[in-house]
Amino acid sequence: MPVDPAQARLRSAYIDFVRAGRGSALDRDGGAQHLTASCFVFTPDMSRVLLCFHKKGRFWVQLGGHIEASDLSVAAAALREAREEGGIAELSPLDGRLVAGTGDPLPVDVHRHALSSRFGRCTTHWDIGFAAVARADAMPVTSHESEDVAWWPTDALPQQVPQGFGDRLAVVLRELAHRLAAH
């Protein structure tokens, strides 16, 4: 169960959304609302986070995107998206616990957000966020999906981030600190 009470409540809403079976929650073609997977990539000392400048959104945000049929899990989709968008092949999932029987890390964040008309027929993403670590000297490479990819200090984010993103990142860091301290 997440440390943050708001995350715990939102987790319950996610479970209800998936159980309601409105289209396929995993399939972006299954409806205007669907699950997405993202990955907060950090340096080993957790002082920097890798962000991409999202073409459609016009803001800096963690790496992530849609879940594809070839993804074995939501966690696998998050890591795939992080590797594709960030251009860093060597990423290590970061979590003190794993989902029983899968070897997948547990999510560190859930975030439901409405989308602008720039996103086409998608109206809401129910994002499931994971965390990973890259080597301190890892050099990101911009992909065709982003205009830019760069490391940012976790306490000095760029101005062009979605509203509340700094608070969201702080919750992710607290969740990770709690989990890692427990192990």
Side-chain angles (χ1 to χ4, degrees), residues 83-164:
R83 289 179 178 116
E84 288 174 3
E85 291 182 358
I88 299 173
E90 291 182 46
L91 295 177
S92 300
L94 183 61
D95 190 358
R97 301 175 296 177
L98 298 176
V99 176
T102 69
D104 282 340
L106 289 172
V108 296
D109 173 69
V110 287
H111 188 265
R112 181 181 57 215
H113 48 273
L115 303 169
S116 72
S117 61
R118 291 189 298 251
F119 287 81
R121 63 184 207 87
C122 295
T123 62
T124 306
H125 280 168
W126 295 67
D127 190 57
I128 302 174
F130 296 85
V133 172
R135 289 189 342 262
D137 63 349
M139 296 298 297
V141 178
T142 303
S143 75
H144 68 280
E145 297 183 26
S146 306
E147 287 189 14
D148 198 4
V149 181
W151 290 107
W152 293 90
T154 55
D155 60 356
L157 298 174
Q159 288 184 345
Q160 290 176 287
V161 294
Q163 183 176 359

